[in-house]
Amino acid sequence: MGECGGGGEYRCWEELLPDALGLVFRNLPLREVLTVVPRVCKSWSRVVAGPYCWQEIDIEEWRQQQGKPEQLVRMVEMLVARSCGSCRRISVSGLPGDPLFSFIGDHARALRTLEIPRSEISDAAVESVAPRLPNVTFLDISSCTKIGARALEAFGKNCKSLVGLRRVMHPTDVAGKACQREEARAIACTMPRLRHLEMGYMVIATDAVLDILARCRDLRFLDLRGCWAVDDKFLQERHPGLRVLGPGVDDCFENSYLEECSDYSDDSSIYSWELMEDDDDDYYAVGSDDEAIWDDGQGLENLEVRFYGGGFSESYAGFDWPPSP
């Protein structure tokens, strides 16, 4: 670290305020934050173990590199607990069940952005957890196939400041499914402040969209890719100031999804590494140099992940949409 003499030749990084160190560490990959930074010194280890690095928890990249639900549960629980209730954003796909979603509701009540696409959560769980998330302004529940109008209504009634919703489905999610008009109705009746709405591939018709537009008067952007029963020209005539994407799809999302959008690898050893256990000591021992914390022997050359990305930020002035997958 160097000595901090009067000449100021070296900077005393270990003496920086924890908040400042946390801002620096957030720019590092998750692997390095959890396995490299704590080895440097005790003060850095304390920063990683505290809430300073975890006001925004984005582990989507790590999530795509491993496929064990138990690892995901341990990681989310550890990082949310370390945030000490100060977490403002969580981005992770594929929550394996209601208990982890409930854990987030109990320990991350300051959340403003919640991105949990392809999660196995239920209507009943959402009705129970939503009242604990009153500050959420952007919500991504794309391809959460076990929830419907009840969950959307619960989010709308409890998240009063919600201005962005992403409810994008995949064609295989809605194959053979009846009209999702009730979901559209729940959005229209409970989310009047929406400015950004993505409803790709939902089974809805023009009248359902008109109902939303009649009640969500602040809406500026609407993604209707794959909503084949919607007359987009009629919408544009009725609402010339609204930016509409779709229903035509100018990409290979439908044709290549099954080949290119697998969340899980057949090889469970890809980037598999043991999470550190919280310790009562100030300094966290993370094992010897010989410990296989991270399996670098497996590459990701053959793994390509495509999904609707482009998370929401309060600094977004134009509510621009993500690029086509």
Side-chain angles (χ1 to χ4, degrees):
M1 300 296 295
E3 296 181 359
C4 300
E9 183 179 354
Y10 300 102
R11 294 184 179 182
C12 297
W13 288 97
E14 72 275 16
E15 295 182 4
L16 283 176
L17 292 175
D19 303 78
L21 286 172
L23 290 174
V24 174
F25 296 158
R26 285 181 212 170
N27 296 309
L28 299 175
L30 181 67
R31 168 196 174 186
E32 295 186 12
V33 174
L34 291 178
T35 64
V36 177
V37 172
R39 294 174 180 265
V40 175
C41 63
K42 290 183 178 181
S43 63
W44 285 22
S45 179
R46 284 193 292 268
V47 170
V48 173
Y52 311 102
C53 295
W54 313 115
Q55 294 183 15
E56 293 191 7
I57 299 175
D58 185 347
I59 57 175
E60 183 57 29
E61 181 178 354
W62 173 84
R63 174 70 179 91
Q64 300 297 338
Q65 296 168 354
Q66 61 83 36
K68 294 182 178 180
E70 61 272 18
Q71 286 186 330
L72 175 63
V73 171
R74 292 177 61 197
M75 178 66 82
V76 173
E77 288 182 348
M78 180 181 72
L79 299 185
V80 170
R82 289 187 180 187
S83 73
C84 298
S86 66
C87 183
R88 297 191 301 265
R89 175 177 178 249
I90 291 179
S91 178
V92 57
S93 64
L95 297 185
D98 292 340
L100 186 56
F101 182 53
S102 182
F103 180 88
I104 291 174
D106 288 336
H107 297 86
R109 302 196 177 197
L111 269 181
R112 297 182 66 82
T113 299
L114 179 62
E115 299 166 287
I116 51 171
R118 300 186 296 282
S119 292
E120 299 291 321
I121 58 176
S122 66
D123 285 326
V126 172
E127 289 173 335
S128 173
V129 173
R132 294 172 248 166
L133 302 173
N135 299 309
V136 169
T137 59
F138 179 79
L139 177 66
D140 184 353
I141 47 174
S142 299
S143 288
C144 293
T145 57
K146 293 185 177 181
I147 62 175
R150 283 174 54 195
L152 287 168
E153 183 177 356
F155 276 125
K157 287 183 176 179
N158 293 281
C159 305
K160 300 294 187 180
S161 300
L162 195 66
V163 295
L165 173 66
R166 183 177 293 133
R167 177 64 169 156
V168 177
M169 310 302 287
H170 183 267
T172 58
D173 296 333
V174 296
K177 194 168 187 177
C179 181
Q180 294 174 283
R181 180 178 176 81
E182 290 303 315
E183 291 194 23
R185 181 71 175 174
I187 293 172
C189 293
T190 64
M191 304 178 185
R193 301 183 64 180
L194 283 181
R195 288 184 280 164
H196 182 105
L197 176 59
E198 299 180 31
M199 305 172 66
Y201 293 93
M202 287 185 64
V203 186
I204 53 175
T206 305
D207 59 341
V209 178
L210 289 175
D211 190 19
I212 292 174
L213 294 176
R215 297 169 182 265
C216 303
R217 298 183 179 275
D218 294 331
L219 202 61
R220 296 293 178 266
F221 171 74
L222 181 61
D223 182 353
L224 295 172
R225 282 180 286 183
C227 300
W228 307 116
V230 175
D231 186 345
D232 59 315
K233 293 183 179 179
F234 180 73
L235 293 180
Q236 291 174 351
E237 291 175 359
R238 291 279 300 270
H239 301 272
L242 179 67
R243 294 198 299 181
V244 179
L245 182 62
V249 181
D250 187 19
D251 56 38
C252 57
F253 185 49
E254 290 182 273
N255 298 327
S256 65
Y257 182 89
L258 295 179
E259 291 78 18
E260 297 180 341
C261 194
S262 174
D263 291 335
Y264 305 104
S265 169
D266 291 334
D267 184 357
S268 61
S269 66
I270 291 181
Y271 280 82
S272 176
W273 53 289
E274 192 68 20
L275 300 178
M276 295 184 301
E277 296 289 349
D278 284 341
D279 199 333
D280 292 332
D281 297 331
D282 288 337
Y283 189 73
Y284 286 76
V286 293
S288 65
D289 293 337
D290 295 331
E291 184 180 358
I293 297 176
W294 192 279
D295 182 4
D296 286 319
Q298 299 288 343
L300 295 177
E301 293 82 359
N302 297 322
L303 177 62
E304 182 178 359
V305 179
R306 293 186 180 183
F307 56 94
Y308 284 86
F312 178 84
S313 171
E314 291 178 317
S315 61
Y316 260 27
F319 285 90
D320 202 2
W321 61 81
S324 297

